[in-house]
Amino acid sequence: MVNADLIRDLGRPDLYEAAADALVTLGTDGVEQLAREVMDAESPVDWRPITAVLRRIGDAGFDSLLQGLVSASTEESRKRVGFAFSQLGLAVLDRYTAALAHPVPLVRRQAVRGIEHCGEAGRSAAALLPLLGDPDQEVARQAQDTLIRTGEHVIPLLRRVRERGPGRQRARALTVLAELGGEPALSRADTAAIERLIRIKLPDDRPEPLWACWNYWMAVPGGDQAGIMRTLGLTDPRPVTFALGNDIVDADGHGCDTDEHTGYERVFVTPELAGWTLVLGAWCDPHGQERREVVLRLCTELSARYGQAQAYYYGGQGDGSAWLVAEHGTVIRRYGETGEAEDELLALGKPLPYERARRTELGLQPDWDAAQEGEDDEEEWRWTAHDLAPDIARSLGTTNPLDVTADTPSHGTGVIALTPYGVAHGVPAGAYRI
C-alpha cells in the first residue's frame, strides 16, 4: 500500500522529486493507487506529475491506465485518465500500437493520440490506416486527424487505399489526401468522381446563409457572372454547391495567412441572388491595408459598368465592420470601424442616409461635429458602427450573404474562381463539404 502522503507530495514542487523517486522504486506495488488518483476528479494533485511517475514505471503504468480507461465511470474521469494514458511516451509505442485493436473504442482513440505524441518515431501511418474504417466514428475521426498531422509522406499509402481498398477506409482516406495535398494529391479518377458528385447535386442545390468568422464580399446588381469575373480578373471558374463555396471561403479565412498562402487565392462567385451577384472571400476586403485600394478601384470599375458596386467587411466575432459604396464610376462612401487607429483616415465621402439615421437614433448629430460631441459620444458611435455592415447592405436594398436562405430567388450556378494571387501561387489544400 502506497503512503497517500507520497502521492500528495507530487503536487508540491519542493517535495516532488523525492516523492517521485520513492514511488518509482515501489514500482508495481503503487501503480493501481496512482491510476485511481489520476481518475479522481477531486484529487488535489494534477494528473501530469502522476503521469510522469507512471511513465518512469513503464509497462505496469501503461496497464494500470489502460484498465482505468476501461473502468472509468464519469466523463471527467475518462478525460483525465485519457490524457494521462496518451502521454506515456515512446517507451510504450509497441503497447500503443497493440491497443489500436482493443475492443473498447476509448482505448483505441487514446492509443492513436499516444502514438501521435510519440513524435517522429511514432509516425507509423500503416498502423493507423485500418482505423479510418473503424465502426466508432470518434475513433475513425481521431485516426483521420492524426494522419493529416503526420505529413505528406503518407500520401502514397492513402492513394493505395483509394485504389485497392478496403472499402470502409476509402472515404476518410480521400479526406486525408485532400487535406494533405489538395487536388494535386488526388488521382484523376477521384477528381472526376468529385466533379460528377457536384454535377449531381447542383440541380437541387438551394441557397444557404453564407457565413464565416470574417466575412468579406462584393455585391454587384444583376446576374452577369461572367462579365463581373472578367472585370475583376478572375479566372478558371469551377461550378460548386453553396455548401462547398461557403466552406472554401471559411476555410481559407481560418487556415491561410502563412508564408505560402494569404487567403486571397480564390473567391466564391454566387449565382444571381434576388437581383445581385456576390463575390465572397478575403480578396474582397475593402478595409485591410493590402487590399483596400485595389478593391476601391475594382468597385469603381464595376459601378461604371453596372451602375453600382459595393464591398463589405463584417467580423462575425465582434471584429468590426467596413463598407464601400460606388455608383456610376464614383466612390460615394467608404467607412470602417474595426478598432484600428487608422480607421478614421480611411473614410471617404459623406455619411450614408442609414448612417445618419442611426446617429440620430443614438441622440448624436447626423454628421460628426467635434465641437458638439465628446469622447463618450464618439465611443458610442464606434461601438454601434462596429456591427453595422449587414445593416448598411440591407438599407441599400443589397442582397446580404448573411441573410440568404433557401427561399432567396437564385438564377445560375455558383463558381469558385482563381484570383491573380491564386494563379501565381496556387491554392491551399483542404477537404470541404459538397
Side-chain angles (χ1 to χ4, degrees):
M1 183 77 175
V2 173
N3 187 325
D5 290 339
L6 278 179
I7 296 178
R8 296 296 184 270
D9 288 348
L10 292 176
R12 296 182 55 181
D14 57 327
L15 299 177
Y16 168 78
E17 188 173 346
D21 289 343
L23 288 165
V24 171
T25 300
L26 287 171
T28 57
D29 292 338
V31 292
E32 289 187 14
Q33 192 166 340
L34 288 166
R36 286 197 298 270
E37 198 74 23
V38 170
M39 295 169 62
D40 183 3
E42 303 299 322
S43 172
V45 183
D46 188 76
W47 60 269
R48 293 170 184 83
I50 303 175
T51 303
V53 172
L54 291 169
R55 185 188 303 124
R56 292 172 61 186
I57 292 173
D59 284 351
F62 179 95
D63 290 337
S64 67
L65 290 176
L66 188 152
Q67 184 57 43
L69 281 174
V70 173
S71 62
S73 59
T74 68
E75 183 61 30
E76 183 62 26
S77 292
R78 286 189 288 270
K79 184 184 297 184
R80 284 171 61 92
V81 74
F83 284 144
F85 179 80
S86 67
Q87 298 288 337
L88 292 176
L90 188 58
V92 294
L93 176 58
D94 289 344
R95 305 292 303 276
Y96 281 139
T97 303
L100 296 176
H102 196 279
V104 175
L106 180 59
V107 174
R108 298 198 298 276
R109 179 154 56 91
Q110 295 300 341
V112 174
R113 296 182 68 229
I115 290 173
E116 182 176 2
H117 289 153
C118 287
E120 291 291 335
R123 292 185 175 180
S124 174
L128 298 181
L129 287 176
L131 271 68
L132 292 175
D134 196 280
D136 185 278
Q137 291 304 300
E138 289 190 32
V139 175
R141 181 58 184 263
Q142 186 71 55
Q144 170 188 300
D145 293 348
T146 298
L147 284 168
I148 289 169
R149 291 188 287 268
T150 295
E152 295 182 0
H153 71 275
V154 304
I155 286 178
L157 294 174
L158 295 162
R159 283 175 171 162
R160 193 173 303 126
V161 170
R162 289 295 301 168
E163 293 170 2
R164 306 176 187 175
R168 63 182 179 276
Q169 298 173 22
R170 296 183 78 247
R172 288 190 182 274
L174 180 61
T175 297
V176 179
L177 278 169
E179 287 284 4
L180 287 174
E183 189 171 329
L186 306 183
S187 67
R188 279 185 286 186
D190 279 339
T191 301
I194 292 169
E195 292 173 345
R196 183 167 61 252
L197 178 59
I198 292 172
R199 289 196 301 271
I200 291 170
K201 285 181 170 285
L202 279 174
D204 297 320
D205 193 42
R206 298 300 305 152
E208 61 180 56
L210 304 171
W211 171 266
C213 289
W214 300 279
N215 301 274
Y216 310 88
W217 73 94
M218 295 181 184
V220 184
D224 185 14
Q225 187 187 68
I228 292 168
M229 287 193 292
R230 281 195 301 272
T231 302
L232 294 175
L234 303 175
T235 57
D236 194 25
R238 305 179 74 173
V240 293
T241 61
F242 277 91
L244 179 52
N246 196 44
D247 217 29
I248 288 174
V249 168
D250 189 34
D252 284 357
H254 282 88
C256 290
D257 195 19
T258 65
D259 291 341
E260 186 178 0
H261 295 292
T262 61
Y264 301 142
E265 289 83 4
R266 52 191 171 179
V267 291
F268 176 33
V269 187
T270 70
E272 182 179 354
L273 297 172
W276 292 79
T277 298
L278 307 179
V279 184
L280 297 98
W283 186 78
C284 303
D285 183 8
H287 181 271
Q289 184 173 359
E290 184 165 355
R291 293 296 303 157
R292 62 192 177 215
E293 296 308 318
V294 176
V295 170
L296 186 147
R297 174 179 60 79
L298 291 172
C299 280
T300 301
E301 293 174 2
L302 286 168
S303 73
R305 179 170 180 175
Y306 297 100
Q308 301 178 62
Q310 300 158 22
Y312 296 89
Y313 162 65
Y314 176 64
Q317 307 297 323
D319 297 316
S321 287
W323 50 92
L324 168 64
V325 179
E327 295 180 0
H328 305 294
T330 300
V331 174
I332 303 301
R333 179 63 162 161
R334 181 174 70 181
Y335 190 84
E337 288 290 355
T338 67
E340 298 293 333
E342 62 179 16
D343 280 344
E344 62 185 66
L345 302 178
L346 299 180
L348 296 173
K350 296 181 179 180
L352 298 171
Y354 187 79
E355 292 178 60
R356 296 168 59 88
R358 286 294 288 121
R359 290 181 61 84
T360 299
E361 289 175 7
L362 294 170
L364 306 175
Q365 294 295 319
D367 293 300
W368 180 255
D369 185 347
Q372 299 185 45
E373 296 171 344
E375 290 184 5
D376 290 344
D377 295 328
E378 182 178 4
E379 189 70 13
E380 183 175 13
W381 168 246
R382 284 179 172 170
W383 278 111
T384 298
H386 222 66
D387 296 319
L388 216 54
D391 292 329
I392 293 289
R394 296 179 191 112
S395 75
L396 295 171
T398 309
T399 298
N400 179 344
L402 283 63
D403 293 344
V404 170
T405 71
D407 296 326
T408 301
S410 175
H411 302 285
T413 299
V415 299
I416 286 289
L418 295 183
T419 70
Y421 284 82
V423 172
H425 304 291
V427 300
Y432 314 105
R433 296 180 304 141
I434 294 177

